[in-house]
Amino acid sequence: MILMEQRTLGRTGRDVSVVGQGTWQLGGDWGEVEESDAFDVLDAAVDSGVTFFDTADVYGDGRSEQLIGRYLKNRPVADVLVATKMGRRADQVPENYVLDNFRSWNDRSRANLGVDTLDLVQLHCPPSSVYSSDAVYDALDTLVDEQRIAAYAVSVETCAEALTAIARPGVASVQIILNPFRLKPLDEVLPAAVAAGVGIIARVPLASGLLSGKYTKDTVFGPDDHRTYNRHGEAFDQGETFSGIDYATGVAAAAEFAALAPEGATPAQTALRWIIQQPGVTSVIPGARSVEQARANAAAAALPPLPQSTLDAVRELYDRSIRPEVHDRW
């Protein structure tokens, strides 16, 4: 197994790899993935130094959690922290975010993952008012007391939601969209997290693949791929697909970004390296549908830091091409 840099995941007190493994792809919303292929991806990640898996009860309606549970049962020596999420299987109204539902959702995830205590449970982009509810945090504290979960966190859509959650003393980490096409969290969220000792998990790091530089305006995605059916937020928040950027705009900007990749690094690895070196980031969680992708993602952790000239070029590209479209939305 390759050793990778580890960082403390906020108030969990546990260390995780700077590149984690996102497992949305294993649930099926990016096209079908066979179980054996999913296990190969997880194997490649662990062998490459990954010690952090991120999943959710809604990925494949629990399939992603189940695959992780079976994988870790078969490979008990893998020292992996598993973060899951809850809430998106229910109607998105604040009234559903109560203790009885939390217990029910936790019981399902514990069964899926085959554990008594969940390492980390994140509220999965609930209605904004949930982040301000004292009763919600009291319920989450109860789950910790009952040893159903070891720690709790939030996954957010907006910077305002992140800042609200960071102010709560029990929140271990915040998961937020952060990539070279989504820079707004750098302004306030990351500094606030550092000051509070809260971890930052960067999701959608490749803008749904745009930052890999592999797509053109003529690329066609399958009908069961969210990059087809959710481009305008038809199924869930638009920001989860291509970071909320118009596809044509994103393809053009991605071609410019690809030219910034240093020798020996792919555009995708460059995007991951950019995220890793942002102050306050704990781990970045790219997904993978193949062994090669998992290994390449993990290898980004070993790249040297990007020079200031590249960081400046990313900012210039964002300000010119992306910011006018999406900055104020999130």
Side-chain angles (χ1 to χ4, degrees):
M1 292 175 60
I2 296 172
L3 297 179
M4 186 187 297
E5 179 188 351
Q6 306 283 304
R7 296 176 182 172
T8 301
L9 183 56
R11 293 166 176 158
T12 68
R14 291 183 59 180
D15 289 345
V16 297
S17 52
V18 293
V19 176
Q21 182 62 57
T23 63
W24 186 8
Q25 282 88 341
L26 306 188
D29 289 318
W30 301 66
E32 186 60 32
V33 177
E34 296 295 331
E35 180 169 312
S36 60
D37 293 334
F39 287 172
D40 287 344
V41 166
L42 297 178
D43 250 340
V46 170
D47 288 342
S48 298
V50 169
T51 62
F52 180 46
F53 292 168
D54 178 82
T55 185
D57 60 2
V58 76
Y59 294 167
D61 197 25
R63 182 172 187 259
S64 177
E65 288 181 328
Q66 292 165 7
L67 288 169
I68 290 172
R70 290 199 290 273
Y71 171 78
L72 293 177
K73 182 179 180 180
N74 293 330
R75 190 167 180 179
V77 296
D79 183 19
V80 175
L81 186 153
V82 179
T84 191
K85 309 183 196 75
M86 67 178 182
R88 299 299 296 185
R89 297 181 69 252
D91 291 338
Q92 291 305 289
V93 294
E95 293 77 16
N96 276 334
Y97 286 81
V98 295
L99 180 57
D100 284 347
N101 284 345
F102 288 177
R103 285 174 173 147
S104 176
W105 299 340
N106 279 182
D107 287 348
R108 186 174 185 272
S109 289
R110 291 191 300 158
N112 284 343
L113 286 162
V115 298
D116 294 326
T117 302
L118 299 167
D119 292 335
L120 181 67
V121 171
Q122 305 158 101
L123 297 180
H124 197 174
C125 302
S128 291
S129 62
V130 170
Y131 299 101
S132 302
S133 170
D134 291 341
V136 166
Y137 295 101
D138 288 344
L140 291 169
D141 286 332
T142 298
L143 298 180
V144 175
D145 292 340
E146 294 175 347
Q147 298 184 354
R148 292 170 179 269
I149 66 176
Y152 60 82
V154 298
S155 183
V156 304
E157 296 290 358
T158 71
C159 291
E161 292 169 347
L163 293 170
T164 299
I166 287 169
R168 294 286 178 160
V171 171
S173 59
V174 169
Q175 185 173 144
I176 192 168
I177 299 174
L178 176 66
N179 61 54
F181 288 173
R182 182 73 76 91
L183 303 194
K184 192 172 182 180
L186 302 181
D187 298 339
E188 295 182 77
V189 174
L190 268 60
V194 170
V198 171
I200 290 290
I201 302 167
R203 78 171 187 278
V204 197
L206 302 180
S208 303
L210 275 178
L211 286 162
S212 70
K214 296 178 179 178
Y215 304 144
T216 71
K217 62 182 179 62
D218 299 317
T219 300
V220 176
F221 303 96
D224 58 348
D225 190 314
H226 74 102
R227 292 171 292 185
T228 294
Y229 65 76
N230 193 61
R231 288 197 181 187
H232 306 290
E234 296 91 335
F236 39 82
D237 192 275
Q238 184 182 353
E240 303 291 342
T241 302
F242 300 128
S243 292
I245 304 164
D246 173 75
Y247 182 70
T249 299
V251 167
E256 291 191 58
F257 178 82
L260 302 177
E263 184 177 357
T266 67
Q269 290 171 327
T270 304
L272 296 176
R273 180 66 247 184
W274 179 91
I275 296 169
I276 290 168
Q277 68 190 71
Q278 299 306 315
V281 169
T282 308
S283 185
V284 57
I285 50 170
R289 295 188 62 202
S290 70
V291 166
E292 292 75 19
Q293 286 179 343
R295 289 173 177 162
N297 290 340
L303 293 176
L306 300 175
Q308 187 61 47
S309 59
T310 300
L311 303 182
D312 292 342
V314 169
R315 170 63 74 170
E316 190 279 329
L317 173 60
Y318 174 82
D319 287 340
R320 172 168 45 84
S321 299
I322 305 299
R323 182 187 178 101
E325 181 179 344
V326 303
H327 183 85
D328 292 336
R329 193 183 309 165
W330 289 284

